Amino acid sequence: MAANMVRLRAGAWGPVRRSGLAAYRRFSSGGGGGGYPGVPLTVPLPGLPAPAFAAVDGQEKFETRVTALDGGLQVASQNKFGQFCTVGVLINSGSRHETKYLSGISHFLEKLAFSSTAQFGSKDEILLTLEKHGGICDCQASRDTTMYAVSAEAKGLDTVVSLLADVVLQPRLTDEEIEMTQMAVRFELEDLNMRPDPEPLLTEMIHAAAYRDNTVGLNRFCPVENIEKMDRNILHSYLKNYYTPDRMVLAGVGIEHEQLVECARKYLVGVNPVWGSAKSKEIDRSVAQYTGGIIKVEKDMSNVSLGPTPIPELTHIMIGLESCSFLEDDFIPFAVLNMMMGGGGSFSAGGPGKGMFTRLYLNVLNRHHWMYNATSYHHSYEDTGLLCIHASADPKQVREMVEILTKEFVLMSGTVGEVELERAKTQLKSMLMMNLESRPVIFEDVGRQVLATSTRKLPHELCDLIDNVKAGDVKRVVTKMLRNKPAVAALGDLTELPTYEHIQAALSSKDGQLPRMYRLFRISL
């Protein structure tokens, strides 16, 4: 048996070894004995076929293709090598559209996604169908977009699109499913109030303060008092208005465009939804109105983390100012500014890409050891934007912390160093390109851009725009931003919190200092 194996191997590889590999070894190792002495390693192996490499015919192979179908549905696809694809439906629907409805509908629909439909009897059936193609599913609802997505093997595209169409347009919304969702929402709200990291709560508060009672200022989470009110009729009345083809994009990454268009025509065009095909009447087209203001929540943060090493009691402050829409040219300078501010927690590890040279690290966390966090965020929407800084410290040092933040806002309008600007631009490009290595991120980028503009800017176009940002552009957008009233969110022990008027006065001053407070009597304990 062993002898046969040796003969088989010799028979299979003998000619190659005699004419190619054996000779190659002799002359490549410098030994004598004839063959091809002196032939460099760059010369192809004699006796072997020429290698064939995968080729791409120009940049157009990577461009996003968009097709508009009857009814207004848009189909967008992006080429990407690989066995798997990510496909989903993005809908221009979110918490900002709930003005005329019960607050929290989008939150409920997110939890109800991928439940039973006309085609599938339960969520388990959907998951089993996806499992046959190695697939997973997810639904995310934000302030302005609801996204249903599936990642699966590209061969199962027909099944995936059929499933997505059923989930979006034919959900059963049974009483049992709604009851289970009510329990899930109630649990999530309890968890939000108990978790040590208050970031989601602060984000809701700063939006509510910046856009009081309108559009993106509306609560993304369902209020407790609305949980029991949710039923099929309320959900259907909302779906009838906002889940229409002209507000949808079917996006896919890693599949052929023509194949995706064919599936869209087959499963999404002309389909009568479960709530009826009557034309939508009550679409909220309100433009975001920035108001500014303050929202304060007094909360005992002394026991948020129990155990042998509890988190110390902290007060959390977030100060924001209106920036711009992602459709405006100034969006790129604001993105560079946000990267330049950077920041993070006091326990962030250093190293490449961690932003340890950003302003909030150098000017705040490095100089004020008592601050636990200082991080910059930039939220941008189709008609507005919000640049804000979140900071955390001991309740006794809240006033000093607020003054440090107001000084940083005022310093933004000062001189921007060339090295600092180039570092921020390079880091922004690096983050952009690294994120777009992920197929689900590409899918979301394609879907959101096409939903908003019917086109997509490619990564190299965005990198060119980032490269063109000058120090003067950053100074210009900051000067414009500082003319607005601030939005302030405060959570925790707020005894030492300055008044809103004092914060506004500090941001309007040249040095960012809070007005001095003089007391006739000082009480010492």
Side-chain angles (χ1 to χ4, degrees), residues 378-424:
H378 187 215
H379 306 277
S380 197
Y381 305 97
E382 197 171 343
D383 49 3
T384 187
L386 190 65
L387 183 82
C388 46
I389 299 177
H390 166 213
S392 309
D394 187 273
K396 296 175 184 175
Q397 293 169 303
V398 168
R399 182 178 177 83
E400 190 177 352
M401 174 173 65
V402 170
E403 187 169 74
I404 289 167
L405 297 189
T406 55
K407 284 180 178 178
E408 285 303 314
F409 270 109
V410 172
L411 282 172
M412 287 181 193
S413 62
T415 305
V416 178
E418 192 62 33
V419 174
E420 179 186 37
L421 180 64
E422 287 304 315
R423 182 185 286 120

Side-chain angles (χ1 to χ4, degrees), residues 339 341-345 348 354-355 358-361 365 373-376:
M339 192 58 67
M341 297 307 295
S348 297
K354 294 293 184 180
T358 59
R359 286 193 180 186
L360 291 180
Y361 268 117
L365 293 171
N373 184 26
T375 312
S376 175

Side-chain angles (χ1 to χ4, degrees), residues 107 110-111 181-195 220-221:
H107 189 193
E110 178 188 72
K111 300 295 177 195
T181 302
Q182 288 172 342
M183 291 172 60
V185 169
R186 195 175 287 110
F187 174 79
E188 186 174 354
L189 294 178
E190 289 175 6
D191 180 61
L192 274 174
N193 288 310
M194 290 170 60
R195 60 193 294 178
R220 195 168 64 86
F221 299 106

Side-chain angles (χ1 to χ4, degrees), residues 4 26 44 55 58 74 78 115 124 176 223 228 242 349 356 360 438:
N4 289 338
R26 282 201 300 275
Q74 296 184 91
Q78 174 76 50
S115 296
D124 288 341
E176 184 183 358
E228 295 296 331
Y242 290 101
M356 299 299 272
L360 291 180
S438 167

Side-chain angles (χ1 to χ4, degrees), residues 284-338:
D284 183 11
R285 304 188 188 277
S286 304
V287 177
Q289 302 295 317
Y290 181 84
T291 60
I294 185 169
I295 289 185
K296 300 185 288 186
V297 176
E298 287 270 2
K299 187 178 179 183
D300 180 11
M301 306 286 281
S302 60
N303 60 350
V304 292
S305 173
L306 303 175
T309 55
I311 294 175
E313 181 181 1
L314 299 175
T315 295
H316 302 271
I317 305 293
M318 196 177 271
I319 299 177
L321 290 163
E322 186 180 24
S323 57
C324 72
S325 152
F326 59 70
L327 299 176
E328 296 179 44
D329 293 337
D330 285 343
F331 172 68
I332 301 295
F334 269 115
V336 173
L337 171 66
N338 181 53

